[in-house]
Amino acid sequence: MNRTNRMGLAAAAALVALHVGAPLASAQETLKQRGLEVFGYWCAPCHGAGPGNPGTVALSVRYQGVKPAALEERTDLAPEVTKVFVRSGISIMAPFRKTEITDADLEALAAYLAPDE
Amino acid sequence: MPLPPGVSRRDFEAALREFEQVVGEDWVFSSAEDVALYRDAYSPFWDEDEERLASAAVAPDGVEQVQAVVNIAGRYRIPLYAISTGRNLAYGGAAPALSGSVVLDLKRMNRVLEVSEKNAYALVEPGVSYFDLYRYIQDRGLKVWIDVPLPGWGSLIGNALDHGAGVTPMRDHFSAQCGMEVVLANGDVLRTGMGALPGAATWQQFKYGIGPLIDGLFSQSNFGIVTKMGIWLLPEPEVVRSLRVIAPRHDDVIAMLEILSNLFYSGVIDSHVQLTSPVLNGARDAERAALLARTATAEDWDGAAERRNVPFWNLRLTFYGARKIVDARWEYARERYAAIRGVRYEDGPTYGFPMSADERSRVAEKNIVGIPSLSNFAGRTPANPEVADGHMDFSVIVPMDGRAVLEALKTLGHAFAEAGAGNLGTIQSFHTRALLLINSFPTMRGDRDANRRVRAAYERAVKVAAEHGWGQYRVHAGFMDLALATYSFNDNALTRFHHALKDGLDPNGILSPGRYGIWPKHLRELKGSSA
């Protein structure tokens, strides 16, 4: 299941929980929701799934099927890994400044791409 | 990290504290880790003494904050290097032209202030990217298009100020600007064109205002910080339709471009054109290098095309507008090209509008239909598994004339082959009366020797081009002095004029020193130049 669908299910689950009087979505879910938005704005134009995304093409060549090329399909991205790539860049990807992706947004992005605990 | 030239550590620290009082502690960046984010990731000087490095960065969130920062910088004589989105990669990125400058990062000023569907314009701040304005327009269902350059993360203002371009009839981005707000070195704010008239009803519709037209002074320069700009938009067309003209022989380019110039000057074409040669462009090979190294005849070149089983030229025209008019112009252009013996055509792609979101997602070349993307920001691909870390562009203006285009392609192709560096580009029409040849040089963060070879090849190419009368239209920040030195008519009269303006408008030299070869007096004296 891709991560976007996972987030959709999480949101649906939160709504169901609301109706049965459970607590609102956890802080972690809120963080991941923000991470999804950050990914959509800053990362998806290059790393989105499907054709025409040069970051995804580059990773498919790099990993040769050993790992998924689309970042949202990865299950091995520890938060620190995401942070290093965003702030250091790699290959033709230049780093992102804090006026682009703030530290708070980077935390959210890293949480969104991290494997579920 | 370097300090601003001539500024003490104590004054520098004091200025940073004052910047913090204006913009807040979170928006002044002075740690090594944060300032490193302002390095040019594609720098051909990476990790060498000549790499241009910032001392700090400050990110205001409004024109009043920009004014306050400029006033503080003026008191401490601290150079500020203004960037918009900082994504001018291949031309220097977010790094300053002068090491030790404080980067004035305008990315937080990202408001779309107005979009007029009826009169097809937008008014934006410098941090607004093509993606941002596109989303704003799409969210509201407005029937206007932006014109996008290839990577969509750039700033509309920054790209226009650096004379960037796209593909639609609005592709010449500085030509499509209408009305600026500018902060000057003394902290004053001015508005250009009709914006000087308080309550102006036509700031984004009439460029001239009254008196001298000064907007150009703020492009490719350092005379002010542009905090707002009007941009003309394109009403959504009914249709976009391309025509490919494929001609078999070397000499066909002479007729091709004679027809093309007439089509442009008569208004039949008003959009981007790309001319590619499958023989002259493409991966380096020994046969082409040998032909370039001697005075090969047209027949020699035609032989190469035959051996490769390719036509010599491929010209792509694109038409925008109402279907009846587009079809008539398309047909007329095709008829004109029928004069070339053996010519072939390809029709399309053709796109009709309005388009659904699903249709938009399936368009291969999104910039053709005004959709910003990063799809051309190609890195590693199956066909090209080993890539450089970056590149810098070398873009020269050449005449809209077949013989001149042949000479430019062959001369620069030969120069790159001899140097063992440089990728010969294709011919583009970002402007109506001249053509552009955009070449690139690879850069590597881990290979200083390769970067040195590239720099030597680049510098040689600048000189070779200038000797032929071909000047650059836009320059990498590391080579601005070199480029401006080629525009040397009458003992550098142009640069002397720039410097007279600089000394009058910015006597302390705090705005982007060195940008486009314009230096304040005290730094000119340090460099030992009288110009």
Side-chain angles (χ1 to χ4, degrees):
Chain A
M1 185 188 306
N2 71 36
R3 199 170 304 260
T4 311
N5 287 342
R6 269 196 262 167
M7 290 304 297
L9 286 181
L15 279 175
V16 171
L18 194 62
H19 282 288
V20 296
L24 290 171
S26 70
Q28 187 66 9
E29 282 166 349
T30 307
L31 189 68
K32 288 190 173 195
Q33 182 59 40
R34 176 61 193 155
L36 168 64
E37 292 166 10
V38 174
F39 186 88
Y41 186 91
W42 284 108
C43 314
C46 223
H47 286 289
N53 294 298
T56 303
V57 172
L59 291 179
S60 73
V61 176
R62 187 182 190 99
Y63 292 128
Q64 297 290 320
V66 174
K67 294 179 181 180
L71 294 182
E72 288 175 293
E73 292 168 13
R74 292 274 292 272
T75 55
D76 62 338
L77 287 174
E80 286 311 313
V81 172
T82 299
K83 291 178 192 175
V84 165
F85 282 120
V86 167
R87 292 290 187 233
S88 302
I90 183 161
S91 185
I92 67 163
M93 176 179 134
F96 289 82
R97 308 188 310 279
K98 294 186 175 182
T99 52
E100 298 175 300
I101 300 177
T102 63
D103 283 339
D105 278 350
L106 186 53
E107 286 291 338
L109 174 68
Y112 170 62
L113 291 175
D116 291 330
E117 290 170 7
Chain B
M1 289 177 299
L3 281 174
V7 175
S8 69
R9 165 74 54 190
R10 198 179 66 172
D11 277 0
F12 179 63
E13 298 287 347
L16 294 184
R17 298 295 82 78
E18 290 194 37
F19 290 154
E20 285 177 358
Q21 286 166 22
V22 173
V23 302
E25 285 182 16
D26 287 350
W27 302 109
V28 175
F29 302 105
S30 56
S31 72
E33 183 187 347
D34 289 352
V35 176
L37 298 172
Y38 291 85
R39 291 177 77 175
D40 173 14
Y42 292 4
S43 175
F45 304 96
W46 187 263
D47 268 346
E48 294 186 66
D49 291 345
E50 300 97 318
E51 186 186 349
R52 299 159 299 106
L53 298 169
S55 55
V58 53
D61 189 28
V63 65
E64 294 81 9
Q65 290 190 4
V66 173
Q67 290 177 272
V69 167
V70 165
N71 285 331
I72 295 163
R75 275 194 281 111
Y76 289 98
R77 306 288 194 268
I78 288 179
L80 297 171
Y81 188 80
I83 62 167
S84 307
T85 61
R87 293 273 151 193
N88 197 15
L89 296 166
Y91 291 105
L98 170 70
S99 268
S101 301
V102 171
V103 175
L104 184 70
D105 183 343
L106 303 175
K107 177 62 197 163
R108 295 175 67 211
M109 294 174 63
N110 59 359
R111 299 166 193 91
V112 177
L113 300 167
E114 184 187 0
V115 174
S116 168
E117 184 180 44
K118 186 175 166 191
N119 287 309
Y121 67 77
L123 180 66
V124 297
E125 291 186 330
V128 174
S129 72
Y130 291 91
F131 284 122
D132 294 331
L133 185 55
Y134 178 76
R135 285 171 185 143
Y136 181 100
I137 289 168
Q138 290 298 310
D139 287 348
R140 289 158 182 78
L142 305 176
K143 300 293 181 199
V144 282
W145 281 19
I146 58 173
D147 183 281
V148 297
L150 283 177
W153 53 18
S155 156
L156 284 105
I157 290 183
N159 188 273
L161 291 178
D162 211 26
H163 299 176
V167 294
T168 76
M170 294 291 132
R171 69 198 185 287
D172 179 351
H173 294 166
F174 192 74
S175 174
Q177 81 81 26
C178 188
M180 296 178 184
E181 178 184 86
V182 187
V183 174
L184 301 175
N186 63 2
D188 209 357
V189 182
L190 72 80
R191 289 184 173 182
T192 67
M194 298 307 287
L197 180 75
T202 54
W203 188 21
Q204 273 62 62
Q205 291 162 271
F206 185 72
K207 293 182 186 188
Y208 299 144
I210 201 147
L213 181 62
I214 63 168
D215 301 62
L217 290 178
F218 303 107
S219 74
Q220 296 194 342
S221 76
N222 51 18
F223 300 131
I225 298 162
V226 178
T227 49
K228 292 183 182 68
M229 183 189 280
I231 304 278
W232 285 345
L233 306 173
L234 184 72
E236 181 174 81
E238 285 178 17
V239 68
V240 174
R241 184 178 179 189
S242 291
L243 168 67
R244 276 191 194 278
V245 181
I246 300 159
R249 289 170 303 273
H250 173 274
D251 281 354
D252 288 338
V253 73
I254 296 164
M256 284 179 107
L257 292 197
E258 202 171 305
I259 295 166
L260 184 76
S261 58
N262 184 262
L263 293 174
F264 264 122
Y265 305 161
S266 324
V268 177
I269 307 174
D270 59 4
S271 305
H272 180 250
V273 165
Q274 183 174 29
L275 176 69
T276 310
S277 169
V279 182
L280 287 163
N281 295 122
R284 227 171 253 137
D285 69 59
E287 181 188 38
R288 186 190 303 120
L291 286 167
L292 288 168
R294 64 186 175 92
T295 316
T297 64
E299 289 72 27
D300 294 334
W301 282 105
D302 285 338
E306 281 170 26
R307 280 189 291 283
R308 292 159 195 245
N309 195 27
V310 292
F312 215 97
W313 301 104
N314 190 321
L315 179 71
R316 179 183 182 170
L317 321 176
T318 303
F319 301 88
Y320 293 78
R323 182 176 292 278
K324 283 181 183 174
I325 296 167
V326 163
D327 288 348
R329 290 156 77 201
W330 189 100
E331 284 293 346
Y332 179 75
R334 197 182 67 150
E335 281 173 24
R336 292 290 304 271
Y337 279 108
I340 297 173
R341 185 166 54 87
V343 73
R344 291 191 293 117
Y345 309 98
E346 285 177 11
D347 183 359
T350 300
Y351 303 103
F353 303 91
M355 251 184 185
S356 68
D358 185 49
E359 287 170 321
R360 284 199 299 272
S361 73
R362 282 188 274 112
V363 173
E365 292 175 279
K366 293 197 165 32
N367 59 324
I368 299 285
V369 296
I371 303 174
S373 81
L374 296 180
S375 60
N376 284 69
F377 200 67
R380 187 178 284 111
T381 63
N384 191 19
E386 298 300 325
V387 290
D389 294 326
H391 67 278
M392 59 174 177
D393 285 346
F394 171 60
S395 308
V396 292
I397 296 285
V398 296
M400 197 174 296
D401 174 278
R403 288 185 181 84
V405 161
L406 277 171
E407 188 185 8
L409 289 171
K410 290 180 184 176
T411 302
L412 293 177
H414 179 47
F416 299 158
E418 263 195 333
N423 301 313
L424 185 67
T426 59
I427 296 283
Q428 320 273 335
S429 77
F430 289 159
H431 314 92
T432 301
R433 300 260 168 172
L435 296 170
L436 186 60
L437 174 56
I438 305 182
N439 313 283
S440 69
F441 287 87
T443 58
M444 301 296 288
R445 285 189 290 277
D447 190 340
R448 293 181 189 187
D449 287 340
N451 285 344
R452 286 184 189 128
R453 281 195 298 277
V454 155
R455 276 154 30 203
Y458 177 96
E459 288 174 12
R460 173 78 189 130
V462 171
K463 287 175 184 157
V464 167
E467 284 162 12
H468 286 79
W470 311 320
Q472 294 172 84
Y473 94 114
R474 182 179 186 183
V475 184
H476 188 283
F479 297 93
M480 288 172 168
D481 288 339
L482 178 69
L484 266 291
T486 66
Y487 284 76
S488 61
F489 169 76
N490 188 21
D491 190 23
N492 301 296
L494 181 65
T495 293
R496 287 188 282 115
F497 179 76
H498 292 161
H499 284 156
L501 287 173
K502 187 67 176 170
D503 294 346
L505 290 170
D506 182 12
N508 295 326
I510 58 164
L511 299 188
S512 302
R515 186 148 181 83
Y516 279 87
I518 305 169
W519 294 94
K521 195 163 189 293
H522 68 284
L523 292 173
R524 297 202 297 276
E525 286 164 358
L526 270 182
K527 283 155 54 80
S529 159
S530 59

